[in-house]
Amino acid sequence: MTNEALNDPADVPAELDRWNWGAFFLNWIWGVGNSTWIALLALIPLVNIIMMIVLGLRGSRWAWRNRAWRSVDQFRRTQRAWGIAGLIVWMVVLGGSGALVASLPRILKSADAYALTMKAVQSDQEVTRALGPDIQDSFWIFGQVTVNNDGTGFANYSIPIHGERGSANVISQATREGKRWTIRQLIVNVEGQHKPIVIIRNGRPGGIGA
């Protein structure tokens, strides 16, 4: 009968006892498809990292023992298909994650609080004396912008900047009421200078009222 299993579960051919990419990439999903239920341990946080490696190492042996296979070639074709599918899934996930990370600086820069921060920095005389008149930001910036349903919000930024005379890092904190952003703290730490340039502190220019 063509559907009769020909493999001996107790005898794993040496050429099949090798790394299994499908088991590594798809772990518990591969386990369900190959009747290897120990792969469900990959659903447990932290344990899943260990299980990915264990499944990569032992997956072929377990799959051969846990399912009926008509031939070695069928086993190879099936596991190769699992490996290709897993690779595609990981490429899609990593590609999407990379695109999301790359888009974060653009999202942060699109906020009005960012434009307000950069305008204040670029127009400050002490900063332009230290860095030069043509002050530019870097592509990668760090921060958080939150706008609530009632129109309030807050923004925190850490912005690397540079000019022809040097580099610096901008620390900015702003709040939002209605549709208006107000900078509460704006400090520029210039490389090579021990004293930071305080443009705004506690909502007042030049640190007045600190």
Side-chain angles (χ1 to χ4, degrees):
M1 297 178 62
T2 57
N3 293 327
E4 183 180 356
L6 300 180
N7 63 306
D8 180 358
D11 184 17
V12 182
E15 66 270 24
L16 300 183
D17 192 11
R18 59 181 60 186
W19 182 269
N20 191 308
W21 285 109
F24 175 78
F25 284 131
L26 297 177
N27 43 82
W28 70 269
I29 299 175
W30 173 93
V32 172
N34 288 271
S35 301
T36 304
W37 309 115
I38 193 174
L40 295 176
L41 291 174
L43 293 171
I44 303 175
L46 299 181
V47 177
N48 55 3
I49 299 175
I50 299 174
M51 280 306 301
M52 286 176 64
I53 299 173
V54 172
L55 287 168
L57 290 169
R58 307 286 291 183
S60 294
R61 177 174 297 188
W62 288 336
W64 178 261
R65 290 176 174 175
N66 294 334
R67 275 192 57 185
W69 304 96
R70 292 192 299 274
S71 66
V72 170
D73 286 341
Q74 183 209 11
F75 180 87
R76 284 198 183 113
R77 289 195 302 271
T78 302
Q79 297 308 314
R80 186 182 299 114
W82 276 105
I84 293 172
L87 179 60
I88 292 173
V89 169
W90 271 70
M91 289 177 64
V92 171
V93 171
L94 293 177
S97 300
L100 177 61
V101 171
S103 68
L104 288 177
R106 295 188 179 91
I107 296 173
L108 291 172
K109 291 180 180 182
S110 66
D112 292 339
Y114 182 81
L116 195 64
T117 293
M118 289 304 300
K119 182 178 180 180
V121 169
Q122 292 169 334
S123 61
D124 185 82
Q125 294 183 359
E126 191 173 355
V127 175
T128 56
R129 281 197 300 268
L131 302 182
D134 187 19
I135 297 173
Q136 302 294 327
D137 60 352
S138 299
F139 174 79
W140 292 106
I141 66 170
F142 306 93
Q144 178 184 7
V145 179
T146 300
V147 177
N148 302 314
N149 293 331
D150 59 0
T152 62
F154 67 89
N156 297 313
Y157 286 107
S158 176
I159 309 169
I161 60 173
H162 60 274
E164 60 183 17
R165 299 174 189 166
S167 302
N169 190 70
V170 177
I171 303 298
S172 175
Q173 297 177 357
T175 57
R176 188 178 193 263
E177 294 183 5
K179 295 183 178 181
R180 181 182 178 184
W181 284 97
T182 301
I183 297 179
R184 306 301 302 174
Q185 308 281 355
L186 184 54
I187 300 172
V188 179
N189 295 300
V190 179
E191 291 185 4
Q193 294 187 12
H194 297 293
K195 185 178 180 180
I197 299 173
V198 179
I199 301 176
I200 299 173
R201 177 172 290 170
N202 295 333
R204 296 177 179 272
I208 298 175

